[in-house]
Amino acid sequence: MELTKLTAPEFQSMIIAGADRLTKNVDLINSLNVFPVPDGDTGTNMNMSFISGVEKLKENSSKHVGESSTALAKGLLMGARGNSGVILSQIFRGFSKAIEDQENVDSKYFVKAFAGGVESAYKAVMKPVEGTILTVARESALAGERAAKNTTDIIEIMRAIVKGASIALDKTTEMLPVLKQVGVVDSGGKGLLCIYEGFLSSLTGEVIISEDHSKKSDAHSHAVFEETNEHPMSMDDITYGYCTEIMVHIGHGPTVEREFDYDEFRNILNEKGDSLLVVSDEEIAKVHIHTENPGEIMQLGQEFGELIKIKVDNMREQVRELENANEALSHQQTAAVTNKDYAVIAVAAGEGMTEMLKSIGIDVVLSGGQTMNPSTQDFVQAMEATPAERYILLPNNKNIIMAAQQAVEVIEKPAVVVPTRTVPEGISAIFAFDAEATIEDNQSAMNENIKMVSTGQITYAIRDTNLDGVEILKDEFMGIVDGKIILSEPAVDRALFNTLDNMINDESEIVTIFIGDGGKEELVDQIINELEETYADVDFEVIQGDQPVYEYIMSVE
């Protein structure tokens, strides 16, 4: 079979097949995240971003490939979350731009689309790093261009693109030291390969068998995010009222009744709600589900192991709060209250963190952080719902910065991003804010202020590895300072003490410790007493942040 012209229906089928293959490999892609903390969400971010694009594509009934591709790119742009999702959106932005005038696509424009995607993605990244999704995108596009010199058959060209992506992906392990240390390929590159494999399977009708790029000994479970509406805006959006998350230590605890079987576990959960996400390895199972009975989910988890994390949000209450806020806003507008000059929008996870940020002047706090990164559209919607003349965005996580930057390009009013990588940096930045200053001067002053704070984090490792010269054992507690792992300790108290001891110096004046939902106030008091023996002139503050993932977050100023 030869294909020299790609029609709109064929293009749409190709994109949907790519999305389907990406969805089926989400947990495998997540497991390739090299950072040994429980935050592997590259696959989730790419999947949610691409699904957003596909939904927009499905809304478009055009028989014009260029128009369909434009719809895909628009949906991806607005749904992009996490660095991997943003880069993916840029790949298909360039892809779309290259064929926007084409009703049908021949081999010449087919390879031009992939090359356009590479150009757009590299432009979007200030300092492109090889050994990542960028390398896989570039090498696969080049393979397609080489194939197009000998054939006009789009199927043969797509085969070359997939082969080029696979070869490039294998090389990523050697290209990035951090990947080589852990022995995995790049997770974003794997996600892109999955999409391209889906494209090929659609064009050929064949099932694509890809190489197992995971080093895990046990086959990973499939994660399915059946709905992406994590932040319902009205009661009509809610079928099940409680957003419930649990983490199960498989086989541990007195309540274990049966041996863990992923398919059995997931099938039971599937009957109890929607928006189901289940990720597991040999020891841990993580569950996200919207349900009417959180207790039932917890009881089910206990049948397979010990619950080590629990989080339940009442989404109907969240909607009521949103409706009350909107009503209050409506009253303000009715009273002819003028827009604010500025609105500052930040990102944080945890009720305590959110309340603290609002108390220091942040207008809107988007829920998110190391996991469940807000999308470009989340930022845009937050700005549109907050009347102001100008906007300042504080991402408070390096994986969210690109989505925020993409949002300020979409909004029509003046908006800037202050690239804060942590909540402590966001707090430091807001203290430099001057409501009378220009947005450029505020951005400059806030950028300067984030240099004055050092951020420490304590979390546990999910795998054995060696990073930055630190030997890390699974389940040990790592001390991370400004993004670099400095130690790994079996006991959390020593990890907290030694990390703070490393951060504090003669110029330090204030130390703030944010207690996460896995942290303990008594332990913090004990550590402060120990530290005060050496650092008598330093003031210590403690805030209940309730943040997930990190038992403790510390700032030193």
Side-chain angles (χ1 to χ4, degrees):
M1 184 179 70
E2 185 178 10
L3 181 67
T4 57
K5 289 281 187 183
L6 187 70
T7 65
E10 289 166 337
F11 173 78
Q12 291 162 6
S13 296
M14 186 180 84
I15 297 298
I16 291 169
D20 183 58
R21 188 163 182 82
L22 177 63
T23 297
K24 289 177 177 175
N25 284 277
V26 162
D27 59 336
L28 171 61
I29 298 164
N30 284 340
S31 75
L32 294 172
N33 273 163
V34 296
F35 204 59
V37 298
D39 69 339
D41 59 357
T42 296
T44 303
N45 284 335
M46 292 184 76
N47 191 41
M48 294 176 74
S49 302
F50 207 69
I51 285 175
S52 175
V54 170
E55 287 176 347
K56 200 73 177 176
L57 174 73
K58 288 179 176 177
E59 292 173 6
N60 183 287
S61 58
S62 173
K63 302 300 181 186
H64 189 284
V65 171
E67 292 175 0
S68 295
S69 183
T70 299
L72 169 72
K74 179 65 175 175
L76 253 166
L77 177 73
M78 298 305 291
R81 62 183 73 223
N83 289 344
S84 54
V86 173
I87 293 174
L88 188 65
S89 75
Q90 290 299 321
I91 289 173
F92 282 94
R93 194 177 188 179
F95 184 103
S96 165
K97 195 72 179 173
I99 58 173
E100 62 182 352
D101 297 327
Q102 303 301 304
E103 181 175 357
N104 297 309
V105 170
D106 61 14
S107 60
K108 175 185 171 184
Y109 275 92
F110 192 71
V111 294
K112 196 174 179 180
F114 286 88
V118 172
E119 183 179 354
S120 177
Y122 271 85
K123 280 183 180 176
V125 182
M126 189 170 295
K127 295 179 180 177
V129 175
E130 295 300 335
T132 65
I133 185 175
L134 292 172
T135 303
V136 175
R138 187 193 64 234
E139 292 300 314
S140 58
L142 288 172
E145 288 179 338
R146 287 193 292 270
K149 292 178 181 177
N150 301 313
T151 181
T152 58
D153 183 1
I154 288 173
I155 293 176
E156 286 308 307
I157 294 170
M158 194 66 232
R159 285 191 198 280
I161 289 171
V162 169
K163 185 176 181 180
S166 182
I167 293 172
L169 180 64
D170 284 337
K171 291 179 180 176
T172 60
T173 305
E174 295 297 322
M175 296 175 76
L176 272 179
V178 68
L179 297 178
K180 189 173 184 178
Q181 287 179 44
V182 184
V184 296
V185 297
D186 177 67
S187 55
K190 175 65 178 177
L192 186 62
L193 173 60
C194 287
I195 292 170
Y196 288 174
E197 287 174 339
F199 288 0
L200 181 58
S201 70
S202 174
L203 295 175
T204 63
E206 300 170 356
V207 175
I208 306 297
I209 306 298
S210 60
E211 293 180 36
D212 180 11
H213 290 102
S214 170
K215 299 297 182 184
K216 296 180 72 63
S217 58
D218 187 38
H220 239 274
S221 54
H222 289 287
V224 178
F225 216 110
E226 295 166 337
E227 292 184 8
T228 59
N229 190 4
E230 187 63 15
H231 305 290
M233 301 299 287
S234 74
M235 290 297 180
D236 294 338
D237 296 332
I238 299 174
T239 304
Y240 299 93
Y242 297 93
C243 177
T244 305
E245 296 176 4
I246 63 171
M247 186 181 294
V248 182
H249 196 179
I250 298 170
H252 286 249
T255 58
V256 174
E257 296 179 357
R258 43 184 161 171
E259 187 175 345
F260 181 79
D261 179 274
Y262 172 77
D263 290 331
E264 177 188 7
F265 187 53
R266 186 180 178 283
N267 288 339
I268 297 173
L269 286 167
N270 200 37
E271 300 295 322
K272 299 184 182 301
D274 61 16
S275 296
L276 177 63
L277 173 66
V278 183
V279 181
S280 73
D281 61 13
E282 299 91 334
E283 297 187 6
I284 301 293
K286 295 171 69 174
V287 176
H288 168 286
I289 188 171
H290 293 175
T291 181
E292 281 303 333
N293 195 336
E296 201 174 45
I297 304 302
M298 295 175 203
Q299 287 179 350
L300 176 64
Q302 286 183 297
E303 293 179 18
F304 294 93
E306 187 175 38
L307 300 183
I308 53 178
K309 295 275 185 182
I310 300 170
K311 177 174 175 289
V312 179
D313 291 323
N314 184 336
M315 295 190 294
R316 292 191 178 92
E317 182 61 23
Q318 291 173 340
V319 168
R320 281 191 283 268
E321 290 177 359
L322 182 64
E323 289 173 343
N324 290 338
N326 288 340
E327 186 177 357
L329 180 62
S330 175
H331 288 321
Q332 284 182 339
Q333 290 172 330
T334 303
V337 175
T338 57
N339 289 350
K340 296 181 63 172
D341 282 342
Y342 280 101
V344 181
I345 297 170
V347 180
E351 187 176 345
M353 284 288 196
T354 298
E355 291 304 315
M356 181 274 301
L357 288 173
K358 288 183 176 177
S359 72
I360 60 173
I362 303 294
D363 296 280
V364 178
V365 180
L366 290 176
S367 178
Q370 192 66 27
T371 57
M372 295 307 294
N373 304 152
S375 68
T376 299
Q377 187 162 22
D378 290 333
F379 280 108
V380 172
Q381 287 178 338
M383 287 187 278
E384 290 176 342
T386 312
E389 297 301 321
R390 294 164 284 185
Y391 298 93
I392 296 174
L393 307 186
L394 304 176
N396 292 341
N397 187 287
K398 64 183 176 62
N399 292 328
I400 303 173
I401 293 172
M402 291 184 73
Q405 289 171 333
Q406 205 152 258
V408 302
E409 294 174 9
V410 174
I411 200 81
E412 292 182 353
K413 289 184 176 180
V416 297
V417 177
V418 178
T420 50
R421 299 166 300 170
T422 64
V423 170
E425 287 188 356
I427 295 169
S428 185
I430 196 64
F431 285 135
F433 173 71
D434 179 356
E436 303 297 322
T438 66
I439 195 168
E440 292 80 11
D441 286 346
N442 265 316
Q443 184 183 31
S444 177
M446 295 168 89
N447 275 326
E448 283 300 311
N449 242 37
I450 63 178
K451 299 175 184 175
M452 298 172 64
V453 64
S454 177
T455 302
Q457 296 159 310
I458 303 294
T459 190
Y460 64 93
I462 59 170
R463 69 178 75 196
D464 296 345
T465 188
N466 187 310
L467 283 176
D468 299 325
V470 178
E471 187 71 26
I472 301 166
L473 299 180
K474 185 175 180 293
D475 295 330
E476 283 194 347
F477 291 90
M478 296 177 297
I480 306 167
V481 177
D482 295 328
K484 182 178 180 180
I485 298 172
I486 64 165
L487 56 83
S488 181
E489 298 274 4
V492 66
D493 60 336
R494 291 305 90 194
L496 179 58
F497 176 87
N498 290 330
T499 303
L500 280 167
D501 191 38
N502 183 282
M503 295 173 67
I504 301 171
N505 56 42
D506 293 340
E507 297 180 354
S508 302
E509 297 178 353
I510 301 173
V511 173
T512 306
I513 302 175
F514 302 90
I515 304 175
D517 61 8
K520 295 181 180 177
E521 187 175 354
E522 298 80 9
L523 175 63
V524 171
D525 292 340
Q526 170 200 323
I527 298 301
I528 290 175
N529 288 335
E530 288 185 53
L531 288 166
E532 284 178 334
E533 294 178 7
T534 306
Y535 305 105
D537 295 333
V538 174
D539 291 328
F540 289 89
E541 295 181 357
V542 179
I543 295 174
Q544 186 66 42
D546 306 315
Q547 71 275 2
V549 180
Y550 296 102
E551 279 81 354
Y552 305 97
I553 294 176
M554 305 84 75
S555 72
V556 176
E557 301 169 72

